[in-house]
Amino acid sequence: MRMRSARPIMQCPVEAGRRIAVTGKYSSPQEGASMEFGIVGLGRMGGNMARRLARKGIRIALNNRSHEVSDAIAAETGHFACATLYDLVAALQAPRIVWLMLPAGEATETTLATLLPLLSPGDLVVDGGNAHYKDDQRHAEALAARQIDYADAGVSGGVWGLENGYCIMFGGSDTAAARLKRYMEALAPTPATGWLHTGPVGSGHFVKMVHNGIEYGMMQAFAEGFALMRNKHEFDLDLAEIAELWRHGSVVRSWLLDLSADFLAQDQALASIEPFVADSGEGRWTALEAIEQGIPAPVMSLALMMRFASQRGNDYAAKILAKMRQGFGGHAVREEGK
């Protein structure tokens, strides 16, 4: 299913006396066989989560659509690279924990369909991507029929999570929470802060959905404020100095302001940035949830509408939004003329 690299092959004992070839970097097969935790999906977030676990002395199994990526991270961290989902499941000691860091929708659905027949009763699947909480509830029901546990984890921290730790909000059973505690403590900023068992399955991604809706509103307010100041030509305001000023003692100081101060110090005009701001599924889901509940959420909903507006050509505020998204999440920005 995946291309294997030329890295030397390690033999990993698996169930029923079978042996399969799994590439990786381990001092002995026995050390690899003691693993219980694997990550599927090694993009910006998944790859850095694997690196952070390695820094905390936790070794895990890795799988990625492009095996070269998992092989490279294994060589860097000492983790165990697996070419296929079959290999990953076989490399883990039961009961296993398989953590998915995949885009919501088809990628996750396809992976779960492939993974489900490979797992055993007592295993635990965690969806750590930006999934919709109603999908979590449906997945949990399907896995429960096979006596497989399920948890949903909303993860915030972007490209800075490797150094600073991730904020993780997760839903699932008390049993799942107890099994995940060790990994939450390692991934979070400190063992005692930055992670929370929010409640039953679906609650983690629900909280993360609202978190992202709030994020939309905060970003939009900063973007509009800087656009107003940029357009006040008679004052010739230095936006970098103002952003830096607000970082100290102001009630609007925040990480988003920190990121804005950083990129404005380098380039205030943002002439090369196309005013196009993508919207994630979570922003739309938050607006729809507000409609379903009949709860007024005009700020979050309008912030989503402004992203739609940017996708049809907008102004300086959209450039500010695009650079903030790049700053915290590593999201690509479009450059003018390209």
Side-chain angles (χ1 to χ4, degrees):
M1 189 163 81
R2 302 280 192 269
M3 292 293 293
R4 296 179 186 269
S5 76
R7 191 174 303 279
I9 300 294
M10 298 288 292
Q11 293 295 326
C12 181
V14 298
E15 296 174 6
R18 294 180 288 122
R19 298 174 73 85
I20 61 172
V22 183
T23 61
K25 183 181 178 184
Y26 259 104
S27 59
S28 69
Q30 288 73 28
E31 187 177 0
S34 67
M35 298 178 296
E36 67 163 358
F37 188 101
I39 291 182
V40 178
L42 301 170
R44 286 190 300 264
M45 293 281 278
N48 277 347
M49 289 171 69
R51 292 181 177 96
R52 186 167 177 86
L53 289 174
R55 292 183 181 184
K56 300 295 182 177
I58 298 175
R59 287 185 169 177
I60 64 173
L62 306 173
N63 173 259
N64 192 67
R65 181 178 59 179
S66 170
H67 183 54
E68 289 75 12
V69 173
S70 50
D71 213 25
I73 294 178
E76 173 190 342
T77 60
H79 289 324
F80 207 83
C82 301
T84 68
L85 290 174
Y86 177 89
D87 292 353
L88 179 127
V89 171
L92 297 177
Q93 183 180 45
R96 310 167 183 87
I97 301 174
V98 180
W99 186 300
L100 307 182
M101 287 300 293
L102 300 169
E106 183 178 353
T108 296
E109 297 290 344
T110 300
T111 299
L112 278 173
T114 304
L115 188 62
L116 190 55
L118 305 176
L119 297 174
S120 304
D123 289 347
L124 168 62
V125 173
V126 183
D127 188 344
N130 285 334
H132 193 276
Y133 75 95
K134 292 182 179 178
D135 289 337
D136 292 317
Q137 294 170 329
R138 174 170 54 84
H139 293 154
E141 184 176 355
L143 268 63
R146 293 176 176 256
Q147 300 180 333
I148 298 169
D149 208 352
Y150 181 91
D152 60 292
V155 183
S156 182
V159 295
W160 298 89
L162 174 59
E163 298 297 332
N164 301 334
Y166 298 90
C167 176
I168 308 176
M169 48 225 90
F170 70 100
S173 66
D174 289 342
T175 301
R179 293 184 64 188
L180 290 170
K181 183 174 183 288
R182 176 194 183 201
Y183 303 98
M184 297 298 178
E185 291 176 340
L187 290 168
T190 75
T193 62
W195 63 276
L196 179 68
H197 179 206
T198 51
V201 167
S203 64
H205 277 145
F206 182 84
V207 172
K208 178 60 162 48
M209 178 188 75
V210 176
H211 165 282
N212 279 27
I214 293 170
E215 176 188 294
Y216 271 44
M218 293 173 64
M219 292 174 67
Q220 184 66 33
F222 274 123
E224 291 175 7
F226 281 112
L228 282 170
M229 291 187 289
R230 173 77 177 174
N231 198 53
K232 194 65 173 175
H233 303 296
E234 65 184 278
F235 290 151
D236 192 24
L237 298 171
D238 188 319
L239 301 189
E241 289 186 352
I242 293 169
E244 182 62 29
L245 168 71
W246 286 353
R247 294 178 64 197
H248 306 280
S250 165
V251 296
V252 299
R253 62 188 183 274
S254 67
W255 186 31
L256 292 174
L257 181 60
D258 293 342
L259 296 171
S260 300
D262 288 343
F263 66 72
L264 287 171
Q266 299 174 36
D267 175 18
Q268 292 190 39
L270 304 180
S272 65
I273 304 301
E274 183 179 350
F276 180 98
V277 187
D279 63 286
S280 69
E282 293 195 341
R284 299 186 184 210
W285 299 334
T286 305
L288 291 171
E289 184 68 27
I291 293 170
E292 285 188 14
Q293 291 193 29
I295 297 294
V299 172
M300 292 187 285
S301 299
L302 186 56
L304 173 65
M305 298 302 116
M306 291 306 296
R307 294 204 179 189
F308 293 162
S310 81
Q311 294 163 19
R312 288 160 176 80
N314 202 347
D315 54 11
Y316 188 78
K319 296 186 178 191
I320 290 285
L321 281 170
K323 289 296 290 183
M324 277 192 277
R325 289 185 83 244
Q326 183 186 46
F328 68 74
H331 302 288
V333 295
R334 296 190 182 190
E335 296 188 4
E336 293 281 11
K338 294 185 179 180

